[in-house]
């Protein structure tokens, strides 16, 4: 093998080593599932490469080809199942079990069918199966990404690189002769890119579950919006917004989101389910708001949003519309604190939200009055069809934002680590 090819593959195995070290670090941090997934991805990929490069101590070309056929079918199936599991598509449901059984049956069928052909032909069949698994995984990832799972876009790029690496390695294994170093370079770089993107996707997904476990354990003492431990700091945020410029009069937007059915949720499914609901709602707010909107918890059932750019009240109403759409999506709640079981949704819940919008001049209005008024409007909005109430300065009264002005909720999206909740 050319010295340049050896250098590229050395970099690939260095990436494998880094991924294994990271999995050990994750295991030490009690992230056992992400550690196992990362270690298996690295180990299976490394063994696949070693086998296809002909580095196994098997002098017989015929026996080696037969072994490679088995390695290709089994490795591709394992990696495909791990990818589907990472995307949450292989949960403990009848459909998930059926998908697993079908994949295993097809892999065994490919292995058994290979014995009807010569070893080289069997290797070609298994390599084709590996490419089919990659193509199927790519289609699933694209479908999930189009439906709103942002983590799936990372998986799309990873599977794309995997297809390039598998194609190059299949060429190397089937050729049987010394191939030029650029093919080794492309395959090795694609393999490194695959491992890097999969490591990123795995960590994004399971760091979400780790964070969710902390939220469900701490409850109200852990603020999922501002990452504050105390509600008192929300009061400090309000004070800084109203009195932060030495009495200068300026427009200030106050938006309060109140969730009316959290108490009923707690009584039906327990405190952990309520904490999960708060965590999801807070994540949707955090990811959907402009950068100049400050957020904080307000009581046990609401959130306070402040913006100093409130010259146009219609902009505040538009923000409220976005909140109404995002929080109206159903949530699959879990009551388990075990990371491996957090995604097994046990109840579907929809937040009963009310949103109050107030544009005021600070510090002419006292902050306590502004917050209390906005919160009262949000609770009034529970009974509105649009769930949005605002204070009409011209009419000097509380008014409802018409339902026709609020876009309907989009289809449900999973609330995962890189998804768009």
């Amino acid at each position: 093998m050319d010295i340049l090819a050896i250098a590229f593959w050395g970099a690939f195995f260095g990436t494998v080593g880094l991924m294994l070290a990271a999995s050990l670090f994750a295991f030490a941090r009690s992230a056992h599932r992400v550690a196992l997934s990362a270690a298996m991805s690295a180990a299976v990929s490394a063994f696949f490469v070693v086998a296809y490069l002909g580095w196994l101590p098997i002098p017989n070309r015929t026996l080696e080809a037969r072994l490679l056929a088995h390695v290709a079918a089994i490795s591709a199936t394992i990696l495909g199942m791990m990818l589907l599991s990472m995307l949450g598509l292989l949960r403990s449901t009848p459909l998930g079990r059926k998908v697993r059984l079908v994949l295993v049956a097809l892999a065994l069928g490919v292995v058994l069918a290979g014995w009807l052909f010569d070893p080289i032909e069997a290797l070609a069949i298994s390599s084709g199966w590996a490419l089919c698994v990659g193509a199927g995984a790519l289609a699933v990832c694209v479908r999930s990404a189009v439906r709103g799972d942002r983590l799936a876009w990372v998986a799309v790029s990873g599977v794309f690189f995997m297809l390039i690496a598998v194609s190059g390695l299949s060429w190397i294994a089937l050729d049987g002769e010394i191939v030029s170093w650029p093919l080794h370079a492309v395959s090795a770089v694609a393999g490194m890119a695959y491992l890097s993107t999969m490591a990123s996707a795995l960590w994004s997904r399971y760091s979400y579950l780790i964070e969710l476990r902390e939220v469900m354990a701490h409850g109200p003492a852990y603020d999922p919006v501002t990452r504050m431990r105390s509600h008192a700091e929300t009061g400090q945020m309000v004070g800084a917004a109203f009195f932060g410029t030495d009495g200068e009069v300026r427009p200030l937007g106050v938006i309060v989101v109140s969730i009316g059915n959290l108490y009923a949720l707690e009584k039906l499914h327990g405190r952990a389910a309520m904490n999960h609901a708060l965590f999801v709602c807070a994540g949707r707010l955090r990811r959907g708001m402009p950068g100049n909107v400050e957020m904080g918890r307000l009581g046990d059932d609401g959130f306070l949003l402040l913006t100093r750019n409130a010259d146009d009240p219609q902009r505040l109403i538009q923000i409220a519309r976005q909140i109404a759409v995002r929080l109206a999506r159903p949530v699959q709640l879990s009551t388990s604190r075990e990371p491996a079981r957090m995604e097994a949704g046990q109840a579907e819940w929809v937040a009963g939200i009310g949103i109050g919008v107030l544009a005021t001049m600070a510090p002419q209005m006292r902050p306590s009055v502004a917050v209390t008024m906005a919160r009262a409007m949000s609770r009034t909005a529970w009974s509105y069809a649009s769930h949005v109430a605002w204070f009409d300065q011209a009419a000097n009264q509380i008014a409802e934002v018409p339902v026709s002005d609020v876009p309907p909720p989009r289809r449900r999206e999973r609330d995962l680590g890189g998804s768009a909740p």
Side-chain angles (χ1 to χ4, degrees):
M1 183 180 294
D2 191 278
I3 186 64
L4 289 176
I6 295 176
F8 276 103
W9 286 118
F12 170 81
F13 287 107
T15 304
V16 171
L18 288 176
M19 196 166 178
L20 290 174
S23 66
L24 291 176
F25 174 77
F27 189 87
R29 295 287 300 273
S30 299
H32 297 164
R33 190 173 178 182
V34 64
L36 179 61
S37 298
M40 284 190 63
S41 296
V44 172
S45 300
F47 183 72
F48 185 90
V49 170
V50 168
Y52 263 60
L53 290 178
W55 291 352
L56 294 177
I58 303 176
N60 191 321
R61 169 66 176 166
T62 301
L63 180 60
E64 182 186 39
R66 183 69 68 183
L67 177 62
L68 289 183
H70 295 179
V71 170
I74 296 173
S75 299
T77 304
I78 292 175
L79 292 177
M81 293 175 63
M82 290 179 61
L83 177 65
L84 295 178
S85 177
M86 184 189 69
L87 293 176
L89 301 177
L90 288 183
R91 300 174 182 175
S92 298
T93 60
L95 179 60
R97 289 190 290 270
K98 185 180 296 184
V99 172
R100 284 195 293 268
L101 288 175
V102 169
L103 286 174
V104 172
L106 288 174
L108 291 177
V110 170
V111 171
L112 294 176
W115 285 93
L116 301 177
F117 300 90
D118 293 335
I120 298 300
E121 294 175 340
L123 175 58
I125 293 174
S126 295
S127 298
W129 165 248
L131 292 174
C132 288
V133 171
L138 183 63
V140 171
C141 293
V142 171
R143 179 176 177 270
S144 298
V146 171
R147 297 183 65 182
D149 190 347
R150 290 183 296 179
L151 180 62
W153 286 117
V154 180
V156 166
S157 61
V159 175
F160 175 75
F161 290 125
M162 182 191 74
L163 286 172
I164 296 176
V166 171
S167 300
L169 286 168
S170 299
W171 187 348
I172 294 170
L174 291 170
D175 188 275
E177 301 293 338
I178 298 177
V179 297
S180 59
W181 70 266
L183 180 59
H184 285 278
V186 170
S187 302
V189 170
M192 288 187 286
Y194 164 72
L195 289 178
S196 300
T197 52
M198 288 299 101
S200 174
L202 282 170
W203 180 249
S204 297
R205 177 174 177 79
Y206 292 116
S207 62
Y208 163 85
L209 297 180
I210 294 169
E211 184 182 19
L212 175 57
R213 181 181 61 184
E214 292 298 318
V215 171
M216 294 171 68
H218 290 92
Y222 184 82
D223 188 341
V225 176
T226 61
R227 299 299 188 264
M228 299 176 185
R229 292 283 180 176
S230 171
H231 292 282
E233 297 203 32
T234 300
Q236 296 177 8
M237 179 184 71
V238 173
F242 274 81
F243 305 113
T245 56
D246 300 326
E248 176 186 354
V249 178
R250 65 189 183 283
L252 189 68
V254 181
I255 300 176
V256 172
V257 180
S258 296
I259 305 174
N261 54 349
L262 280 176
Y263 180 77
L265 176 65
E266 181 183 9
K267 292 302 180 183
L268 287 173
H269 298 287
R271 187 72 181 185
M274 191 194 77
N275 291 336
H276 189 178
L278 280 172
F279 172 75
V280 171
C281 291
R284 291 174 174 179
L285 281 174
R286 186 171 61 250
R287 284 183 286 269
M289 291 301 99
N292 59 353
V293 176
E294 300 180 70
M295 294 173 282
R297 281 284 299 279
L298 186 63
D300 289 336
D301 63 349
F303 302 93
L304 174 65
L305 289 75
L306 295 176
T307 176
R308 294 180 174 86
N309 184 15
D311 297 314
D312 183 12
Q314 291 301 319
R315 178 177 175 273
L316 298 178
I317 295 177
Q318 183 60 35
I319 292 176
R321 292 171 180 166
Q322 296 173 8
I323 295 172
V325 171
R326 296 183 73 88
L327 297 190
R329 300 171 191 161
V331 181
Q332 290 291 337
L333 293 178
S334 171
T335 58
S336 174
R337 298 183 184 180
E338 296 296 326
R341 300 179 57 193
M342 284 182 184
E343 295 180 289
Q346 300 170 359
E348 183 174 276
W349 176 79
V350 178
I353 61 170
I355 304 172
V357 182
L358 176 65
T360 184
M361 300 300 294
Q364 290 182 347
M365 179 180 285
R366 294 175 55 190
S368 59
V369 174
V371 173
T372 301
M373 186 174 179
R375 189 174 191 183
M377 287 192 293
S378 70
R379 292 170 180 258
T380 301
W382 284 341
S383 60
Y384 290 167
S386 65
H387 303 293
V388 180
W390 69 294
F391 189 78
D392 189 344
Q393 299 285 353
N396 196 30
Q397 64 179 10
I398 297 175
E400 176 187 3
V401 174
V403 178
S404 58
D405 292 345
V406 179
R410 294 180 292 178
R411 58 179 176 268
R412 185 175 67 212
E413 299 166 355
R414 292 189 304 275
D415 292 293
L416 303 178
S419 60

